[in-house]
Amino acid sequence: MLTLGCARNEVDSEELAGRLAADGFRLVSDPAEADTVVVNTCGFVEAAKKDSVDALLEASDLKETGRAQAVVAVGCLAERYGKDLAETLPETDAVLGFDDYPDIANRLRAIVAGETHHAHTPQDRRLLLPISPVDRTAPEVAPRQRLESGPLAPLKLASGCDRRCTFCAIPAFRGSFVSRRPSDVITEARWLADQGVRELFLVSENSTSYGKDLGDIRLLETLLPELSAIDGVERVRVSYLQPAETRPGLIEAIATTPGVVPYFDLSFQHASATVLRRMRRFGDPESFLGLLEKVRSFAPEAGVRSNVIVGFPGETEDDLQTLCDFLVAARMDVTGVFGYSDEDGTEAESFTDKLDPDEVWARAQHVTTLVEELNAQRAEERIGEDVVVLVESVEEIGAEGRAAHQGPEVDGTTRLEGEATWKVGDLVPARVVSTEGVDLVAVATGEAR
């Protein structure tokens, strides 16, 4: 099982692995030893699509060099393009959509036996659920088998999205927003804790919407203390907050609930009110800075990350300057920068006032240079700060992990210096003594727990 893309895909892979293991399949870590290679693809942006296609082609080579009899594409790229992907990538033996997941074991057996699988014709999955959120039903709970052994694990809150951002195709192939039942989330969290997980990373397309289809938009505020109270769970981290939906009570819950890290993954996307309206989003520098001020009033050392899109159709130089001024004022820990590109089937694809690709690239480079400097400055502000580091790898001297303000993979790391006998999963109190870009260097100030 090869996984590309985001943490939500990681959960999907573990659910597929759980279904297959329950039906007699055996997971192997080396693709060369597999009879079937399942590639869980990403279809978010052009670079991710290319990575997914490359992974499928590389896996297909195993049919010549290894023992593989079949290579199967699943995930967002497979769902989004279906039969078109199957036709353009004949090296792949089958392309399976989300509707194939419940019967994944029989699908794979048939494919290995030489049966031809006819890939689905893609459709807008938002049409498969009622328009009214309260009439939607959560999907069945799938078994799960961990594919990683680290101390952190993603935990899915919901799937799909009801927003209509003009640049984003995710709702069309992921479907409308559907929350998981709190009891299912808690049951899975307990299972993860029993597997040795110490940090739960709550993932969805829009965590601020959690509970709205269950009749309680404030359900996440209720769920967080229940998750953090689970024996063995030391940290709960929430991902992907929609700024326009981030209410004061949720800010307070994330910032002050014991065991929940004060970490705010806020998807601003831009700061110009004009550009945001064209994106079908809401906000401006004043409201966004007010939101950050509210966060820091509860937790001055809170971690804040975001993503922005540069070069959106119609973006003027004044709009770009508004974004840059906001980024300077926001003092965020990490900011991802994306140059705009058309996504198939989105509203923005039809906009006529697009910038020249070279101009988009130049603007993206300009903003990237700015945020690299700003994020490094923010890291330097943390020198002397006391942190608690979750150890994720151990070296001969020292260890590496993440402080509370650092999310997995994209927010930098903290290196612990010293000769202590730390082990993976330890929580080590430490003090930041220096920085390397967005990464921190710290020395332990107490015993690990």
Side-chain angles (χ1 to χ4, degrees):
M1 179 76 68
L2 303 177
T3 306
L4 294 93
C6 65
R8 293 181 292 277
N9 256 19
E10 292 177 25
V11 177
D12 288 349
S13 285
E14 293 191 350
E15 290 178 352
L16 287 172
R19 291 180 186 274
L20 290 166
D23 209 348
F25 281 78
R26 181 170 58 88
L27 187 72
V28 295
S29 58
D30 184 354
E33 297 177 359
D35 297 305
T36 307
V37 181
V38 179
V39 182
N40 191 351
T41 61
C42 178
F44 179 41
V45 293
E46 200 59 39
K49 297 176 194 174
K50 182 181 183 302
D51 288 345
S52 294
V53 170
D54 289 346
L56 287 165
L57 291 172
E58 185 176 339
S60 296
D61 290 341
L62 294 171
K63 289 185 286 185
E64 300 295 330
T65 61
R67 61 179 286 171
Q69 301 173 52
V71 173
V72 178
V74 299
C76 292
L77 189 73
E79 174 64 36
R80 187 174 181 184
Y81 293 104
K83 63 181 182 62
D84 292 336
L85 179 64
E87 291 170 359
T88 57
L89 205 66
E91 295 89 346
T92 299
D93 297 278
V95 173
L96 304 183
F98 296 152
D99 291 336
D100 292 306
Y101 285 13
D103 199 29
I104 185 69
N106 287 331
R107 294 285 192 274
L108 292 195
R109 285 194 176 93
I111 292 162
V112 172
E115 296 183 20
T116 300
H117 176 80
H118 298 285
H120 65 286
T121 299
Q123 59 179 317
D124 188 337
R125 294 189 69 85
R126 292 170 294 189
L127 304 178
L128 302 180
L129 291 169
I131 293 176
S132 172
V134 295
D135 293 330
R136 299 172 190 166
T137 302
E140 65 167 306
V141 179
R144 183 172 173 180
Q145 176 174 325
R146 289 206 73 198
L147 300 178
E148 302 289 342
S149 59
L152 172 137
L155 175 60
K156 191 186 297 183
L157 280 177
S159 60
C161 183
D162 283 341
R163 302 192 71 87
R164 295 295 183 267
C165 302
T166 57
F167 57 84
C168 183
I170 289 175
F173 60 83
R174 275 289 185 181
S176 296
F177 187 88
V178 181
S179 300
R180 294 182 67 192
R181 290 182 292 270
S183 58
D184 293 338
V185 176
I186 292 170
T187 297
E188 187 168 318
R190 287 176 176 150
W191 177 80
L192 288 168
D194 289 341
Q195 303 295 307
V197 171
R198 306 202 77 186
E199 179 175 324
L200 301 174
F201 186 42
L202 307 185
V203 298
S204 73
E205 278 73 23
N206 179 7
S207 297
T208 38
S209 281
Y210 180 72
K212 72 173 187 178
D213 49 326
L214 301 176
D216 185 359
I217 191 59
R218 293 175 175 81
L219 193 57
L220 185 54
E221 289 95 308
T222 304
L223 182 63
L224 288 174
E226 294 188 58
L227 291 172
S228 64
I230 293 173
D231 188 34
V233 172
E234 296 289 341
R235 283 182 176 174
V236 177
R237 185 182 303 275
V238 184
S239 73
Y240 206 89
L241 304 173
Q242 166 59 244
E245 297 180 27
T246 304
R247 51 204 173 269
L250 181 57
I251 294 173
E252 184 174 3
I254 293 174
T256 65
T257 301
V260 177
V261 293
Y263 173 82
F264 292 82
D265 176 14
L266 294 160
S267 176
F268 289 122
Q269 301 298 359
H270 211 281
S272 163
T274 303
V275 173
L276 287 165
R277 282 196 295 271
R278 290 175 61 80
M279 290 178 169
R280 293 196 186 278
R281 297 175 71 87
F282 304 94
D284 52 47
E286 291 73 24
S287 64
F288 289 165
L289 290 174
L291 176 59
L292 293 175
E293 183 179 359
K294 186 74 171 177
V295 165
R296 288 164 177 153
S297 71
F298 284 111
E301 297 174 351
V304 180
R305 82 166 326 273
S306 190
N307 294 307
V308 296
I309 297 174
V310 179
F312 192 77
E315 181 191 67
T316 66
E317 291 188 3
D318 285 343
D319 293 327
L320 183 65
Q321 189 60 50
T322 296
L323 173 61
C324 291
D325 291 344
F326 164 72
L327 293 171
V328 171
R331 295 174 49 249
M332 292 187 284
D333 292 278
V334 175
T335 307
V337 180
F338 295 87
Y340 172 80
S341 62
D342 285 338
E343 280 296 311
D344 297 337
T346 61
E347 185 178 348
E349 185 184 24
S350 66
F351 289 176
T352 57
D353 51 352
K354 293 172 186 170
L355 279 65
D356 182 86
D358 289 341
E359 176 64 18
V360 173
W361 182 87
R363 293 187 181 192
Q365 290 299 112
H366 172 71
V367 177
T368 297
T369 300
L370 173 65
V371 300
E372 286 176 350
E373 179 181 349
L374 293 172
N375 295 162
Q377 290 175 2
R378 179 68 184 117
E380 289 176 358
E381 291 177 10
R382 294 191 181 274
I383 293 177
E385 187 174 301
D386 289 325
V387 297
V388 177
V389 180
L390 176 63
V391 175
E392 295 183 314
S393 64
V394 177
E395 303 166 359
E396 288 187 12
I397 297 180
E400 187 172 78
R402 290 174 298 105
H405 71 278
Q406 296 171 318
E409 298 186 5
V410 292
D411 288 353
T413 61
T414 298
R415 190 175 80 248
L416 286 167
E417 294 189 330
E419 299 183 9
T421 55
W422 298 303
K423 61 183 184 298
V424 171
D426 279 349
L427 285 160
V428 182
R431 182 165 296 138
V432 180
V433 295
S434 64
T435 66
E436 298 172 353
V438 296
D439 297 328
L440 306 181
V441 179
V443 294
T445 56
E447 296 297 320
R449 69 175 194 272

